[in-house]
Amino acid sequence: MTEAEFYMPYKGVYLPSAIHSSESLKYYEEFTFRPDDIVTVTYPKSGTTWMKEIVPLITSGGDPKSVETLHNWDRVPFLEEVQAPILNLEERPSPRMFSTHFHYSMMPPSFFEVKPKVIYVMRNPKDVFTSSFHYHEMASFLVNPGPKGEFLRKFLDGKVMFGSWFDHIKSWLNADGKHSIMYISYEEMIMDLKDSVTRIAQFLEKSLDAEVIEKIADRCLFKNMKQNNMSNYSVVPREIMDQTKSEFFRKGIAGDWKNLLTASETEYFDSVYRDKMKDVTYKFAWD
Ligand code: A3P
């Protein structure tokens, strides 16, 4: 099957039709934010699931129940996806936690009026590509990636779900300065998770003891988080996510692209990256 059969076009990007609908997109367009909402924003495969574990643990003061009672798609729901309208999000107590894969320009009017808190997680695009390539092989609601070289071209051209990584990151880096946005990278979290949790807690204005921070960081280590059945997608039927092909918690490292991309693919990637990112001054952890 082709992109046209798997994806629906929306505001210039593809969305997987199995998990988005015109109703859910309308719901998001009309959604009313609160100033103390916390929105995790990511390009797919950049650390969304990781942040869906860290943020509830921080806001709950380290309570394990915050990540053991609800599946991550209910605990920090994607506002654009089909389940959002049926979760009674209007009735949830503050601070509500959401996630989205939308570009900045795709956000709904209330987002720009209310300016909730945003945590923007970024990851080396070569690792995003690598993770995404394996994910497309195991998720039946995504188009088959085909040969790696072909998928690489599509990824660099933005002909993949949620469009171009370059457009996504630039849209959020260029967001209006009045928004309260914390930028953090997957690589910083890999390098020092305790420090990352400390900084996220500060951003969320949640004061936590060092011991609690330590416990949260430990719980969110790849090997520990992978055991959480409310986060590891193990309840999703094999027809939808075949984790015998590739686990959702696959490797959880920085730099795995070196095991996938050939020298000429790396050169191609780098030349596109240099061109598309030439005006970006942000100093990324992977550069
Ligand atoms: P890999 O496929 O490279 O292993 P997302 O949640 O945005 O879809 O991103 C998924 C990626 O984040 C996967 O990368 C997954 O293994 C990784 N990941 C999830 N939780 C993690 C954790 N606690 N530590 C490190 N990586 C994690």
Side-chain angles (χ1 to χ4, degrees):
M1 293 215 296
T2 61
E3 273 80 0
E5 288 158 301
F6 274 97
Y7 300 144
M8 59 197 283
Y10 181 72
K11 299 195 177 182
V13 305
Y14 287 140
L15 307 182
S17 340
I19 48 175
H20 299 82
S21 64
S22 44
E23 291 75 32
S24 68
L25 296 169
K26 184 166 182 293
Y27 172 81
Y28 194 9
E29 282 161 11
E30 294 171 357
F31 190 74
T32 305
F33 283 97
R34 297 181 197 150
D36 55 4
D37 284 340
I38 302 162
V39 191
T40 291
V41 185
T42 50
Y43 186 84
K45 313 317 287 177
S46 300
T48 327
T49 312
W50 202 354
M51 203 49 85
K52 287 182 184 212
E53 200 89 351
I54 294 173
V55 171
L57 280 164
I58 289 177
T59 56
S60 67
D63 184 354
K65 286 204 292 300
S66 66
V67 293
E68 285 172 353
T69 50
L70 284 179
H71 287 290
N72 62 3
W73 55 83
D74 285 345
R75 123 177 44 116
V76 189
F78 280 109
L79 285 167
E80 60 267 29
E81 287 192 1
V82 286
Q83 83 280 12
I86 54 172
L87 288 174
N88 278 331
L89 300 177
E90 294 69 22
E91 280 157 36
R92 286 200 177 176
S94 290
R96 300 181 300 180
M97 296 163 280
F98 306 123
S99 57
T100 185
H101 284 321
F102 276 8
H103 298 221
Y104 181 67
S105 59
M106 294 168 71
M107 296 300 280
S110 165
F111 175 82
F112 295 101
E113 284 153 27
V114 174
K115 299 184 175 60
K117 281 192 158 68
V118 170
I119 302 176
Y120 187 72
V121 190
M122 16 191 200
R123 185 181 190 185
N124 183 339
K126 288 187 192 137
D127 282 331
V128 170
F129 169 77
T130 304
S131 182
S132 191
F133 181 64
H134 294 293
Y135 189 52
H136 279 68
E137 286 178 324
M138 67 86 113
S140 67
F141 55 92
L142 301 177
V143 74
N144 186 296
K148 183 187 24 145
E150 201 177 290
F151 190 61
L152 180 60
R153 251 190 322 277
K154 283 186 195 169
F155 180 84
L156 293 174
D157 287 349
K159 303 266 184 327
V160 286
M161 63 167 167
F162 293 97
S164 156
W165 178 88
F166 302 101
D167 291 349
H168 199 284
I169 196 146
K170 286 192 278 188
S171 80
W172 282 99
L173 286 174
N174 292 330
D176 181 333
K178 293 193 195 78
H179 284 279
S180 172
I181 305 180
M182 174 178 189
Y183 298 95
I184 187 163
S185 66
Y186 183 95
E187 289 72 17
E188 288 166 82
M189 287 157 63
I190 287 281
M191 216 123 66
D192 192 339
L193 189 52
K194 220 167 73 181
D195 175 68
S196 302
V197 172
T198 306
R199 288 190 289 125
I200 297 164
Q202 275 162 4
F203 174 70
L204 298 178
E205 297 167 87
K206 185 83 187 171
S207 134
L208 299 174
D209 293 344
E211 197 191 318
V212 174
I213 299 268
E214 191 131 359
K215 277 204 180 121
I216 295 175
D218 185 65
R219 228 202 128 89
C220 293
L221 287 174
F222 181 80
K223 65 176 184 352
N224 296 336
M225 226 185 110
K226 188 174 178 169
Q227 306 308 319
N228 184 356
N229 289 336
M230 301 308 257
S231 305
N232 60 16
Y233 293 90
S234 55
V235 301
V236 176
R238 197 157 150 185
E239 302 77 61
I240 300 175
M241 280 187 184
D242 188 348
Q243 300 213 40
T244 63
K245 286 187 183 157
S246 178
E247 291 182 288
F248 188 92
F249 279 74
R250 197 182 59 86
K251 285 201 178 169
I253 58 169
D256 191 41
W257 63 268
K258 291 178 191 142
N259 298 313
L260 186 71
L261 298 182
T262 62
S264 64
E265 286 165 349
T266 305
E267 213 171 285
Y268 169 43
F269 204 120
D270 288 343
S271 70
V272 175
Y273 183 95
R274 269 195 304 275
D275 177 49
K276 301 256 189 203
M277 301 295 277
K278 61 178 178 300
D279 298 325
V280 177
T281 52
Y282 189 91
K283 189 81 201 84
F284 299 104
W286 58 81
D287 273 338

